[in-house]
Amino acid sequence: MIITRTPFRVSFVGGGSDLPSFYRKSPGAVLSTSINKYMYISAHEYFEDEKYLLKYSKTELVKDINKISNSLFKECIKLTSTKPGVEISSSADIPSGTGLGSSSSFTVGALNSLFRYNGKERTKLELAKDACNIELDILKEPIGKQDQYAAAIGGLNKIKFNSDESVDISPVKISSKKQQLFEQSSMMIYTGSTRSASEILETQNNNINSNMDKFETQKEMVNLVDEIIPFMQKGDIEKFGNCLNKNWNLKTKLSNKISNSEVDKIYGKSLKYGAYGGKLLGAGGSGFLFICFDSDQRNKFTELFKDYKQVSFGFDKEGSRLVYDDSQ
């Protein structure tokens, strides 16, 4: 049996600039970190050697690879040349559609497991490129490509997207003390619903293509990446939060699907009671709202949002990795 563990991610500023409608005209960039919430993918022999057994939120047992309903599993199996007679299962710490890049973590993790199951090993950079190939080129999902790199490589990074389709990864160094302060000064609040990012990103993509004002707004969000990094490294939570708030106000100009009344209520309440800023994670619409505040105020915010599911998290530094292999 092979088991891989692949992290989810939190993206702070610059989101949307990883869409081709933007970075092919002007370089895109995001600041993001992988977190200690994970997608687990296992692969091992199945006793019926002419069938694929797939277990996720559904169960599929098929002979013909083209009859597989889960498109991500199907394309990962094809790309890795995995033959029938295999059982592949997935489980996750947090459900999909909550803004943490779960579909890309799934794709990267499945590729990592299946390559290793077939006796091959891919670098983290290769896994990210393979995942982008499946999601963007083969399946034509109207999404960006930050999540695949964040999941595969791991860590706190500035990720730059170039017009020639290349991607530059620049690790952001932060002391363990400042990292701990950051973790103590933030939380994720579940807004109570999930969604597909595709529709929101497709609207945002069209708006950037057709509206110069929205394109310039996206450029302002990219500029926040270099502005916010020093505040994070210095442990200046207030100025970090102020940058998040700027990003929030800019992002909501890109599409009317970015936020909704429930999210606005939660975010407005957090600011009223002293939060420095926040970010609706992922494309928007619903899912997790990230907020940051003075670490001394953590108990206050825990009580303030006691009626919502709250998630604390730590930084992940490893990216997608093998956690179990009994074939050796």
Side-chain angles (χ1 to χ4, degrees):
M1 175 181 282
I2 300 290
I3 304 175
T4 60
R5 187 186 78 179
T6 304
F8 294 138
R9 65 94 186 97
V10 168
S11 177
F12 298 115
V13 295
S17 68
D18 58 335
L19 294 170
S21 59
F22 182 82
Y23 68 72
R24 288 175 182 169
K25 300 174 184 175
S26 179
V30 299
L31 175 67
S32 75
T33 185
S34 55
I35 63 173
N36 60 350
K37 303 299 177 186
Y38 299 100
M39 175 73 67
Y40 297 88
I41 306 286
S42 66
H44 66 94
E45 291 185 8
Y46 181 56
F47 77 98
E48 292 190 51
D49 59 10
E50 295 182 351
K51 295 181 180 179
Y52 296 97
L53 176 60
L54 310 178
K55 296 179 180 179
Y56 50 107
S57 58
K58 300 178 181 178
T59 298
E60 297 188 54
L61 180 61
V62 298
K63 286 185 177 181
D64 184 354
I65 191 172
N66 293 308
K67 296 292 180 63
I68 294 175
S69 298
N70 187 304
S71 58
L72 291 176
F73 258 145
K74 180 195 299 183
E75 298 305 330
C76 287
I77 289 169
K78 286 183 177 180
L79 187 64
T80 57
S81 301
T82 301
K83 296 179 180 179
V86 62
E87 177 180 335
I88 314 168
S89 303
S90 73
S91 60
D93 292 331
I94 294 176
S96 62
T98 52
L100 302 181
S102 58
S103 66
S104 295
S105 295
F106 179 97
T107 308
V108 168
L111 287 169
N112 199 2
S113 287
L114 293 176
F115 273 123
R116 290 175 182 274
Y117 177 79
N118 289 296
K120 303 173 185 177
E121 189 169 343
R122 301 283 277 173
T123 67
K124 292 181 179 182
L125 191 58
E126 288 172 333
L127 287 172
K129 291 179 178 178
D130 289 340
C132 285
N133 178 35
I134 287 175
E135 294 190 88
L136 306 181
D137 301 329
I138 297 174
L139 296 179
K140 306 296 182 184
E141 291 287 347
I143 61 175
K145 54 184 179 182
Q146 63 161 306
D147 294 352
Q148 299 86 349
Y149 285 86
I153 295 170
L156 175 65
N157 299 294
K158 174 185 175 181
I159 308 176
K160 184 182 177 186
F161 311 98
N162 304 306
S163 60
D164 62 359
E165 300 295 336
S166 63
V167 177
D168 299 324
I169 310 294
S170 300
V172 175
K173 294 182 180 180
I174 180 173
S175 71
S176 57
K177 184 177 181 180
K178 295 296 190 296
Q179 177 181 313
Q180 185 178 27
L181 172 64
F182 183 85
E183 293 170 354
Q184 292 171 345
S185 304
S186 60
M187 69 168 57
M188 297 190 299
I189 302 166
Y190 183 49
T191 64
S193 58
T194 62
R195 85 287 179 268
S196 168
S198 298
E199 181 183 353
I200 298 169
L201 287 173
E202 188 168 16
T203 301
Q204 185 175 329
N205 203 30
N206 292 335
N207 288 344
I208 291 173
N209 264 328
S210 61
N211 189 309
M212 184 54 66
D213 286 342
K214 295 186 186 299
F215 183 84
E216 291 299 322
T217 296
Q218 185 69 72
K219 287 180 71 172
E220 291 184 61
M221 293 169 65
V222 171
N223 292 336
L224 285 173
V225 174
D226 288 331
E227 181 180 338
I228 200 173
I229 288 174
F231 300 140
M232 195 170 196
Q233 292 174 317
K234 294 175 184 177
D236 193 330
I237 302 299
E238 182 174 0
K239 290 183 178 178
F240 178 87
N242 291 340
C243 282
L244 289 183
N245 194 48
K246 288 181 188 177
N247 190 82
W248 174 285
N249 291 327
L250 290 169
K251 187 170 184 177
T252 53
K253 295 179 182 179
L254 296 177
S255 168
N256 59 10
K257 298 180 182 293
I258 296 294
S259 189
N260 57 47
S261 58
E262 180 65 15
V263 171
D264 288 342
K265 183 181 79 171
I266 299 171
Y267 186 57
K269 186 176 182 180
S270 72
L271 294 179
K272 178 181 177 181
Y273 285 90
Y276 296 131
K279 169 79 160 46
L280 187 59
L281 300 176
S286 58
F288 278 105
L289 175 67
F290 170 90
I291 61 170
C292 67
F293 40 78
D294 189 283
S295 58
D296 292 339
Q297 301 297 307
R298 185 171 192 88
N299 290 339
K300 179 180 75 173
F301 283 98
T302 299
E303 178 64 22
L304 188 64
F305 294 110
K306 64 182 180 180
D307 293 333
Y308 295 88
K309 175 71 174 178
Q310 301 171 21
V311 176
S312 299
F313 67 90
F315 285 52
D316 164 89
K317 298 181 180 179
E318 297 180 308
S320 186
R321 62 182 292 263
L322 178 71
V323 293
Y324 182 78
D325 179 0
D326 68 356
S327 64
Q328 300 177 352

